[in-house]
Amino acid sequence: MDSETNETNETKKTGRGKGKAIWGWVQVILIAVILSMALRYFVISPVTVFGDSMYPTLHDGEHLFINKVTGPDRFDIIVFPAPDEKDTEYIKRVIGLPGDTVEYKQDQLYINGKKYDEPYLDSEKKDLTNGYLTTLNDGAQGNPNFSLATIPACGGATKVPKGKLFVLGDNRPISKDSRYIGFIDEDKVLGKVISFGKSLQK
């Protein structure tokens, strides 16, 4: 009898042990799911590039991740709701921050009167046969000398207003950016690109 009782008790202990183990794994999985959802919605998020406005830096169909926590700095690539198209998002490069003056003189960028190189445009500039890459209106044949004050979409502002950003696409001849849609609201930025490249394409 004692032997049978011991076996029964051991069976009960083993059953309870298995139950605890299963519940432990369920808790781990639930925590992992909650953390991944928190990361997805509050920290990082995947996005896919549609269109060629950021070519050659980014390509149509390329898969990226954006950081939703830290704010954008100059030359960061950001994602934001299109101000002129419902249910659409744009991906562009930050050129001007609040308080900046922005000016182009024959493909040379000046911010607050200081020259800035744009190495991400080198390959496109090399392929130009005539005209300039960064112009106001009409692609390569547009005006290569312009400032914020001469951009109609920017409403005559001489500096990037508080809480706003001036953005441009890397594919300057075709990009619909702040030259045509004006300043972007800084607080509406969905995130900035934290990784891109061939390993993430398509």
Side-chain angles (χ1 to χ4, degrees):
M1 287 292 291
D2 289 342
S3 175
E4 291 179 4
T5 301
N6 289 337
E7 287 180 7
T8 302
N9 289 337
E10 287 298 325
T11 302
K12 288 180 179 179
K13 289 179 181 179
T14 303
R16 285 197 295 269
K18 288 181 179 179
K20 287 181 180 180
I22 292 171
W23 174 237
W25 277 110
V26 169
Q27 287 179 309
V28 169
I29 293 169
L30 284 173
I31 290 170
V33 170
I34 291 169
L35 287 175
S36 65
M37 290 177 66
L39 284 172
R40 169 68 175 80
Y41 290 104
F42 300 109
V43 182
I44 61 172
S45 181
V47 296
T48 302
V49 177
F50 293 102
D52 297 313
S53 72
M54 282 299 294
Y55 180 85
T57 306
L58 303 177
H59 301 78
D60 183 38
E62 188 169 351
H63 304 303
L64 315 171
F65 289 99
I66 58 172
N67 177 346
K68 293 184 169 187
V69 178
T70 58
D73 294 319
R74 184 175 293 118
F75 303 127
D76 281 345
I77 298 173
I78 62 171
V79 177
F80 56 92
D84 60 339
E85 292 186 41
K86 189 177 180 181
D87 299 325
T88 301
E89 295 171 357
Y90 286 164
I91 183 166
K92 308 292 178 185
R93 189 183 295 276
V94 176
I95 302 297
L97 298 171
D100 284 346
T101 63
V102 178
E103 185 176 10
Y104 276 91
K105 295 179 181 179
Q106 298 181 350
D107 274 344
Q108 176 61 59
L109 169 63
Y110 293 85
I111 300 175
N112 301 323
K114 179 183 176 181
K115 277 186 178 183
Y116 281 84
D117 293 330
E118 297 184 275
Y120 42 83
L121 300 179
D122 286 349
S123 62
E124 286 190 283
K125 289 180 179 178
K126 186 178 179 181
D127 292 339
L128 276 178
T129 55
N130 59 72
Y132 296 94
L133 186 66
T134 305
T135 66
L136 185 61
N137 301 320
D138 301 323
Q141 306 308 315
N143 183 4
N145 303 306
F146 63 92
S147 64
L148 296 179
T150 61
I151 300 175
C154 291
T158 58
K159 294 183 178 182
V160 180
K162 183 179 179 180
K164 303 285 186 178
L165 300 170
F166 182 83
V167 300
L168 295 175
D170 288 357
N171 194 350
R172 301 289 166 81
I174 70 165
S175 176
K176 184 193 288 187
D177 45 43
S178 286
R179 293 172 293 174
Y180 310 105
I181 61 176
F183 300 113
I184 302 305
D185 291 327
E186 195 171 10
D187 62 2
K188 290 185 179 177
V189 172
L190 301 176
K192 64 181 182 181
V193 172
I194 57 175
S195 63
F196 58 89
K198 292 182 179 180
S199 63
L200 293 175
Q201 287 180 21
K202 299 185 179 180

